[in-house]
Amino acid sequence: MIPANIGVLIDEYLDGSIGAEGMKTLEAWLKQSQGNMDSFLSHVDVHVRLESAMAAAPQLHLEPETGTAEQTERVSFWRRLPVRLAAAATLIVSAGLIWWLVTEKPDNSPKYAMGRMIKQIGQVTVTDRSTVEDIASEVTTGPGSSCRIEQPDRTALAAGEQTRLEWRRHEADRAQNLTVQKGLAYVEFAPQTRPYKVQVGRLNAEVLGTRILAEQGVRTALSVFHGRMKTAVGNSRTVVLGGQTAGVDGNGMVVTGLPALNNQYAWLGQLGFEPDSITKGSELPAALADGNALDFSMYRISGGDWSITYGKQGPVAVQNDISSPEGAALSFGASRWLKGVWSCKARMLQTSTNPAINVAFTFASGESESFGAKNTPPLLLAKNSTFFIKAYFEINGEKDILSVGRLELWPENNPKDKLVAGGWVMAPGSSGVKNVRGPCAPGLHMYRCAVELSEFRLENATPAK
Amino acid sequence: MGTDPKNEEFLKLYVPMQLSLRSFVAAHVIGFHKAEDVFQEISLVLWNQFDRYDPTRSFEAWAYGVAWNLVMKARRTAARDKHVFSDELAEGLTQRFIATADAASGRGEYLQECMRKLPEDSKAVLAMKYTERRRIDDMASLLGRTENAVRMLLFRIRSALEKCIAHSAENHPAEELKV
């Protein structure tokens, strides 16, 4: 039986907070008998096994959906009543203007709060969802049905079959929102002075004068055909380029190249759009496969605030957010690699306390494991330092063991000053990864630092069969 | 790395003793982060020097030999701030560790089973400590207890698990754990 005071000292010993006096007391107790030593060792063993069994993978998950925000909105309604009354007054003026815009058109197409019905195929229901502050329409289409609606500013929306969406305009600040609850929506946004906010499941985007396709069904995705789209999932933000699709997986946002399947836009032809021209002019990222086997047309992010640009040398990724508490993660390509040498160049833009950059490996489940050298010299992680990171990794498919045999870091201006770490061998159950690993996508995790990453390489790589 | 036969051999020998090696380090090096650094270094040396391992001898003995040398190095560094046991005690602990290593190696398989038998509030405390990695003062504030009381609670939970694992290893599984 271990006395209570010794129990407290052992706990302090395990987390490193024990003082010199505590050490003396603990040592004296341990020296009393072999039994005490055995009890201590057995207790340490349980602690280590708990560390291993319960350690979570870096938490790079998404924020829960918007329940809290909705609650806050309700609470604040009465406090904001005067503002709302002012908004209502504005609404009367604006509604009159819109009524004029809508009614002065010399056609007989049905008119709705948010625009004109240009074409309707099959069963389409448009319901006025306007409130005191907003004007809004909900559009619902049945099986085999679709429709095209245009706003006075020429923004054109096509709703595919079995779709439910809502357009809403807040008249006081002229904020505009499109929420696709299910189905398919294609939108050609007119150039506006304010961005349109689009929500599809957990994906949020701000678009300005662009063409997009929103999908909420088998998958949640936002494709952009032209221009730029600021896209966010929870705290993760990035800019999606024309020719790319942003989707969501279990652990964050996945950005892929737009599939070249023009026939999937054929339904738009019936609504007066030109399907062949939809993808024309898409600014597909150039030089994506750079001969080093990694597919840079796809990347995953979680946490952080990213911007990713593509050049001849491959992508350059900038993570601007040093405050992201759970860290920020980036990986390139699909989870398909069993072995390779993963490297990149990093430049520290800004740092907070204890910054860190780890190499990371993301599995098909969306879970990831990351590894970093604990004794990284502070100079390497100081603001404006530029250094290289290289990791030798392998996943033993049969045993599902992830090995990172060697991790190297060296400053750009002094390649000989190399820090070597590694020797990690992660057996199933020995880390926070709960699912079968399988092949991985290599990447990086950043903690408490803003970083520019470039020159990504995957060499000597072996893909899964 | 990896699929060549030599590295297959390394994995086969190293993986089963990985946690025991961690425990060995944790018993000698104070604090999670320092212990992790030393463990990382040991793993790297074992990996890099596997060529020097004589397969006719015990891998565990070789690995603990390497580990002991690196632990001693870490102890010398830490000795400056008096946060190490005396050499005499460190050697005593190492002897006891090796003497009980065989019995300890089978414990892992019972841990999950024993954790399931813990009361829900104990599971929550463990999650705060090991999954959320909360500091003791943070846990104390969340649990409305003093820091010492939280340390004592953690100690009691680990002790309950220790007993359960020992019972299970002797084929007397405990029904429900009291903390």
Side-chain angles (χ1 to χ4, degrees):
Chain A
M1 186 70 180
I2 301 177
N5 68 320
I6 298 296
V8 170
L9 291 177
I10 291 176
D11 194 74
E12 287 177 352
Y13 181 88
L14 291 173
D15 70 17
S17 62
I18 191 167
E21 278 306 306
M23 280 297 284
K24 273 187 200 165
T25 310
L26 184 57
E27 170 143 358
W29 176 78
L30 284 167
K31 280 179 171 171
Q32 279 173 15
S33 70
Q34 267 188 4
N36 287 357
M37 285 194 212
D38 291 351
S39 297
F40 171 74
L41 291 171
S42 170
H43 201 85
V44 171
D45 190 59
V46 170
H47 165 75
V48 167
R49 288 176 194 280
L50 283 168
E51 286 274 8
S52 172
M54 297 187 73
Q59 291 300 300
L60 299 158
H61 296 280
L62 310 165
E63 285 207 327
E65 295 206 31
T66 54
T68 311
E70 283 168 6
Q71 199 171 13
T72 309
E73 183 65 19
R74 279 196 295 275
V75 170
S76 60
F77 179 88
W78 295 106
R79 217 183 309 149
R80 291 171 55 195
L81 187 59
V83 177
R84 287 164 190 252
L85 287 171
T90 312
L91 170 68
I92 293 163
V93 176
S94 306
L97 176 64
I98 285 168
W99 176 254
W100 176 79
L101 282 168
V102 170
T103 53
E104 61 95 29
K105 307 288 179 194
D107 64 57
N108 296 318
S109 58
K111 298 166 185 66
Y112 301 100
M114 284 296 284
R116 284 189 307 143
M117 179 69 78
I118 301 296
K119 184 145 190 180
Q120 176 177 338
I121 298 169
Q123 182 198 340
V124 178
T125 310
V126 182
T127 312
D128 188 350
R129 296 285 185 213
S130 302
T131 65
V132 172
E133 296 172 307
D134 304 338
I135 59 169
S137 295
E138 185 187 79
V139 180
T140 311
T141 60
S145 306
S146 57
C147 68
R148 172 176 178 152
I149 297 174
E150 285 187 8
Q151 289 190 338
D153 68 359
R154 297 276 179 204
T155 290
L157 174 142
E161 68 168 344
Q162 300 196 75
T163 293
R164 187 168 70 242
L165 58 86
E166 186 186 75
W167 282 29
R168 184 168 287 275
R169 187 205 315 259
H170 191 285
E171 282 307 300
D173 58 12
R174 300 191 62 77
Q176 305 192 86
N177 296 278
L178 170 66
T179 306
V180 180
Q181 287 142 357
K182 69 166 188 173
L184 267 178
Y186 170 75
V187 196
E188 291 184 354
F189 291 98
Q192 297 134 21
T193 51
R194 286 174 187 271
Y196 224 106
K197 289 183 179 169
V198 179
Q199 188 185 352
V200 188
R202 293 182 305 185
L203 272 169
N204 289 286
E206 279 188 16
V207 296
L208 195 62
T210 183
R211 305 195 300 270
I212 67 156
L213 181 74
E215 299 168 64
Q216 173 70 325
V218 177
R219 66 173 190 165
T220 298
L222 271 170
S223 300
V224 59
F225 301 99
H226 166 76
R228 303 280 186 276
M229 180 172 71
K230 284 185 197 169
T231 311
V233 174
N235 287 331
S236 312
R237 289 180 294 274
T238 189
V239 178
V240 177
L241 309 176
Q244 291 187 317
T245 297
V248 181
D249 76 358
N251 213 24
M253 197 190 315
V254 182
V255 179
T256 54
L258 199 63
L261 299 170
N262 282 347
N263 59 352
Q264 80 178 85
Y265 312 120
W267 62 281
L268 291 166
Q270 298 176 307
L271 298 170
F273 295 95
E274 291 178 25
D276 290 344
S277 68
I278 286 172
T279 55
K280 201 174 281 178
S282 290
E283 298 146 47
L284 289 163
L288 298 179
D290 74 342
N292 287 304
L294 201 60
D295 175 11
F296 291 125
S297 68
M298 172 187 179
Y299 66 87
R300 291 165 191 262
I301 61 160
S302 52
D305 183 351
W306 293 92
S307 61
I308 296 173
T309 53
Y310 294 86
K312 286 181 184 171
Q313 301 302 315
V316 175
V318 179
Q319 200 291 104
N320 294 301
D321 182 10
I322 62 166
S323 65
S324 179
E326 77 276 36
L330 166 74
S331 69
F332 282 104
S335 299
R336 60 183 292 253
W337 301 105
L338 291 176
K339 180 180 179 179
V341 183
W342 167 235
S343 60
C344 80
K345 183 177 175 181
R347 186 163 71 90
M348 302 299 281
L349 303 176
Q350 201 181 346
T351 63
S352 181
T353 49
N354 300 320
I357 300 184
N358 289 2
V359 292
F361 303 93
T362 303
F363 308 99
S365 63
E367 293 174 302
S368 61
E369 278 170 298
S370 76
F371 304 89
K374 289 245 169 60
N375 295 318
T376 307
L379 264 179
L380 216 54
L381 297 175
K383 190 176 174 184
N384 288 327
S385 74
T386 302
F387 59 97
F388 291 89
I389 310 170
K390 192 176 212 177
Y392 298 72
F393 73 93
E394 171 157 356
I395 292 156
N396 182 311
E398 191 186 330
K399 299 191 182 71
D400 206 26
I401 291 168
L402 169 65
S403 311
V404 183
R406 194 175 164 90
L407 173 67
E408 298 171 356
L409 294 105
W410 67 95
E412 184 182 36
N413 56 9
N414 189 5
K416 287 182 182 170
D417 191 10
K418 190 173 281 185
L419 173 73
V420 178
W424 296 282
V425 180
M426 307 302 284
S430 67
S431 78
V433 172
K434 305 289 184 232
N435 296 296
V436 172
R437 290 192 187 86
C440 71
L444 296 143
H445 284 179
M446 271 63 53
Y447 302 94
R448 300 170 293 277
C449 53
V451 187
E452 180 190 85
L453 302 159
S454 58
E455 298 182 27
F456 301 97
R457 291 280 182 277
L458 178 64
E459 292 164 307
N460 301 328
T462 306
K465 286 175 186 166
Chain B
M1 261 170 68
T3 45
D4 71 59
K6 200 178 96 190
N7 290 317
E8 280 285 316
E9 187 61 21
F10 177 81
L11 293 179
K12 199 170 87 184
L13 296 166
Y14 173 77
V15 168
M17 69 167 305
Q18 200 179 14
L19 279 179
S20 300
L21 204 52
R22 245 180 230 271
S23 296
F24 178 78
V25 176
H28 287 92
V29 179
I30 298 176
F32 173 75
H33 293 295
K34 281 183 188 163
E36 271 301 299
D37 287 348
V38 175
F39 173 72
Q40 195 188 105
E41 199 180 347
I42 291 167
S43 302
L44 187 64
V45 170
L46 290 176
W47 184 288
N48 288 338
Q49 298 192 356
F50 190 53
D51 282 341
R52 300 186 194 176
Y53 162 62
D54 174 359
T56 61
R57 298 184 156 201
S58 155
F59 178 78
E60 281 82 358
W62 177 69
Y64 283 125
V66 169
W68 173 246
N69 286 333
L70 292 170
V71 160
M72 286 303 282
K73 191 176 117 190
R75 281 168 45 79
R76 280 193 291 275
T77 312
R80 284 183 222 122
D81 61 5
K82 309 278 184 200
H83 274 53
V84 289
F85 291 135
S86 64
D87 287 352
E88 180 198 354
L89 178 58
E91 279 167 25
L93 283 171
T94 302
Q95 281 169 16
R96 290 312 302 160
F97 188 93
I98 290 167
T100 56
D102 277 350
S105 65
R107 282 179 199 147
E109 60 188 285
Y110 302 111
L111 177 67
Q112 294 289 351
E113 187 189 324
C114 289
M115 280 168 70
R116 276 196 288 276
K117 293 174 183 169
L118 281 172
E120 287 306 314
D121 54 351
S122 298
K123 287 180 195 168
V125 171
L126 286 184
M128 280 185 198
K129 168 79 179 171
Y130 292 103
T131 306
E132 296 163 27
R133 293 203 174 282
R134 287 182 186 275
R135 290 156 42 120
I136 289 293
D137 54 353
D138 189 21
M139 288 177 68
S141 139
L142 282 168
L143 295 168
R145 299 184 182 212
T146 64
E147 290 184 23
N148 265 5
V150 173
R151 288 192 185 283
M152 199 56 227
L153 180 60
L154 281 165
F155 176 76
R156 282 211 308 270
I157 296 170
R158 286 193 294 256
S159 298
L161 286 170
E162 210 180 313
K163 273 186 201 158
C164 170
I165 290 166
H167 274 95
S168 301
E170 290 164 17
N171 294 321
H172 302 301
E175 286 301 313
E176 192 179 311
L177 295 190
K178 293 203 168 51
V179 173

